[in-house]
Structure formats: structure tokens, C-alpha cells
Amino acid sequence: MPELPEVETVCRSLRPHLLNRTIRRVRVIEPRLREPVDVKALRSLAGKRIEAISRIAKYIVIDLSGGSSWIFHLGMSGKLICVSAETGRQKHDHIIVDLDDGRELRYHDPRRFGLSLATNRSALRELPQLRRIGLDPFDPALNAEYLFRFTRASERRIRDLLLDQQIIAGLGNIYANEILALAGIKPTARAHRLTRRQVEMLARLIPELLRDAIRWCGTSFSDYRDADDKSGEFQNHLRVYDRAGEGCRVCPSAIKRVAIGSRSAFYCPTCQK
Ligand SMILES: [Zn+2]
């Protein structure tokens, strides 16, 4: 499932293909995504020029001329790929955008948990999906003060608190586990037991680790690809995630896996307290 570094990588790889291009036509092959696609609204984007591409949490925001924005969420298996119009269509290509340079932007999503919708830019933050999200991990306001307010008041496990999108927007299971490994904190630790120093460390490591992951163009386990259909490389640098039974990169212990809720957590029993 694409997390923040993957979505950021997709945004960066889309820009050279899309900026200043004009949309010629929008074709919706399969409107049944996580929420049904408003086909008419997407078709009405034809004729608009692509002015900017940015990210809010894990949402990709394409700003268009005339004040509209086109939002994509990649869900579990979504890809946005830019190809020449001659490139053979694939099964699960659900939305096809013809560009004025003869190329196409294609939204491909085998599991169809993604999202695609058009809105007025001024109403972006009012969307139900974006109204209640927390701070972006790169927002300077996400500091120790901010995090400590939540950790000291919660008996939840710290891994789950880090995944709470209303506190931190866009952090997912892979990177929450990796951040806790770097911080030497067990994912099962209760949030309110964390010391102020541990929380300071987390606040520092969150953007640091994500920046690192973006440098490696994200983590590819299966579907995730950027706009050029290239996979990321951060999976080769993971310390704990999906490494149960393998050796810790720091000490002789083996990485352990524990189920918290429906999602696994991974940690080194020696390095993480
Ligand atoms: Zn270790």
C-alpha cells in the first residue's frame, strides 16, 4: 500500500510529464473505485491546463486552470503512469487522460480502493476526506510539544497512535515501525508511558526517516510504481518491517513480529524497549 514517501515520489515523477500540459479528453473505463467516480465531473476537466501537482497527506492534488483541482488517492494498489498513446492498454486501467502532447496519463488500480474526484480548489480542505486530517509529517508544527500532548493522554500502543491520521496525516505501518526501530521504542509500548525525551526523538525521526525513504523513491513490495513505472528501493533499507526471523541490523537478535489489531508490528527485542 503506498504510503507518504511513495505518494511524494509519484508527485515528483508526475511533474515533468504533466506541468503545463492541457487535458484533451478524460475517459473513465471503470467508475467503480472506493467511491463511484463522478464521470461527468471528470470529463468536464477537458480543456484545462495542469498548473501544479502537490500532496496533502496521501492525496495527490493536481491543480488545473480555472480554479479546479483533481484529487487522486492510490488506495492499496493504485498507479498513475504517463505513457505514449500507442502503449498497449492494460487490464485495470480505469481512467485515461489524453494530453495535448499525444501522451496519456493512466490511472491503474487492480484492487480499486483508490479515489479520483474533481473539486473547486477553494473547497479542497472542506472535502470529507481532508477535513479532519492531522499535521503533515513535514509540518514544523509537528514537534515534540504537539506529539507529547497526544502521547501523555493516551493508553494506546504507540504504533497505533502514530498511525492515527487525525494526529499525523499520511504515516502508515511500514514507516511507523521503522521510526520506532530507530527510536529504540517497542511498537507495543503504551503511549502515555513514553518519556518526554522519547517523544522528542520521535518528533525528530519522523521527518528524518520519511526524507530518507523519499530519497530512495519509496518502498515497493508489490504494486507501487512511480509515473515512469519505476519501483522504489527503500525495501532494501528497512530495519524491521517485514523482516521477522531475520537478523537485527544492529545486534545479534532476530526481528520479532507481533499482531496489533489487524496489522503486524515488527521490532528487535533487544534494541527496542
Ligand atoms: Zn537489535
Side-chain angles (χ1 to χ4, degrees):
M1 165 138 75
E3 295 189 20
L4 187 146
E6 291 78 55
V7 175
E8 177 65 31
T9 301
V10 171
C11 285
R12 292 179 183 193
S13 62
L14 285 173
R15 285 185 193 117
H17 295 286
L18 297 184
L19 284 182
N20 294 315
R21 295 264 69 89
T22 295
I23 295 169
R24 285 278 178 243
R25 181 166 61 145
V26 179
R27 285 174 283 169
V28 178
I29 316 294
E30 171 57 85
R32 291 171 303 167
L33 301 185
R34 179 172 30 164
E35 291 165 25
V37 171
D38 184 340
V39 178
K40 239 174 92 183
L42 294 195
R43 278 195 195 138
S44 76
L45 299 175
K48 295 185 189 298
R49 196 170 52 85
I50 297 168
E51 293 181 337
I53 298 165
S54 60
R55 175 186 63 73
I56 300 180
K58 296 202 301 183
Y59 292 86
I60 295 164
V61 181
I62 303 178
D63 286 335
L64 303 170
S65 54
S68 43
S69 292
W70 192 348
I71 321 287
F72 283 95
H73 190 286
L74 302 176
M76 310 276 287
S77 58
K79 290 197 275 187
L80 276 169
I81 293 184
C82 295
V83 291
S84 101
E86 283 81 55
T87 307
R89 271 227 228 122
Q90 291 192 341
K91 197 179 171 191
H92 309 301
D93 284 348
H94 303 315
I95 301 172
I96 297 182
V97 185
D98 300 19
L99 302 166
D100 61 349
D101 60 353
R103 291 171 65 82
E104 293 177 357
L105 170 68
R106 296 179 185 174
Y107 180 70
H108 175 97
D109 188 356
R111 300 185 67 177
R112 290 194 277 116
F113 275 106
L115 187 92
S116 177
L117 59 95
T119 181
N120 277 327
R121 201 170 312 162
S122 54
L124 202 59
R125 286 287 184 170
E126 307 303 317
L127 287 175
Q129 293 87 352
L130 297 178
R131 210 169 36 211
R132 290 171 62 202
I133 59 169
L135 292 179
D136 190 87
F138 293 114
D139 189 329
L142 204 165
N143 52 26
E145 226 76 47
Y146 176 85
L147 262 189
F148 198 53
R149 254 194 2 242
F150 293 103
T151 57
R152 71 194 300 187
S154 171
E155 294 185 15
R156 277 196 288 172
R157 300 185 191 280
I158 182 62
R159 198 285 313 256
D160 287 345
L161 187 134
L162 291 179
L163 291 182
D164 186 334
Q165 300 299 301
Q166 291 186 32
I167 301 174
I168 307 171
L171 202 60
N173 198 27
I174 298 176
Y175 299 104
N177 275 285
E178 291 297 304
I179 287 159
L180 289 168
L182 275 176
I185 300 168
K186 243 191 197 147
T188 49
R190 301 285 171 183
H192 71 288
R193 306 291 291 268
L194 262 56
T195 64
R196 174 75 196 207
R197 262 194 71 196
Q198 286 178 307
V199 174
E200 278 169 12
M201 193 150 55
L202 283 179
R204 183 169 51 79
L205 288 171
I206 289 168
E208 221 172 88
L209 181 96
L210 293 175
R211 220 166 265 135
D212 214 27
I214 292 169
R215 211 164 32 236
W216 291 104
C217 296
T219 304
S220 291
F221 282 117
S222 52
D223 303 295
Y224 157 71
R225 299 286 185 277
D226 71 5
D228 300 301
D229 213 16
K230 285 207 297 262
S231 52
E233 287 179 36
F234 198 64
Q235 62 275 16
N236 305 320
H237 303 268
L238 295 171
R239 287 167 180 79
V240 290
Y241 186 83
D242 207 29
R243 296 192 64 241
E246 293 176 45
C248 172
R249 302 211 194 266
V250 178
C251 78
S253 300
I255 300 301
K256 280 204 149 87
R257 190 185 88 109
V258 59
I260 316 180
S262 58
R263 280 177 287 190
S264 294
F266 300 86
Y267 66 98
C268 169
T270 308
C271 297
Q272 291 175 254
K273 298 277 178 282

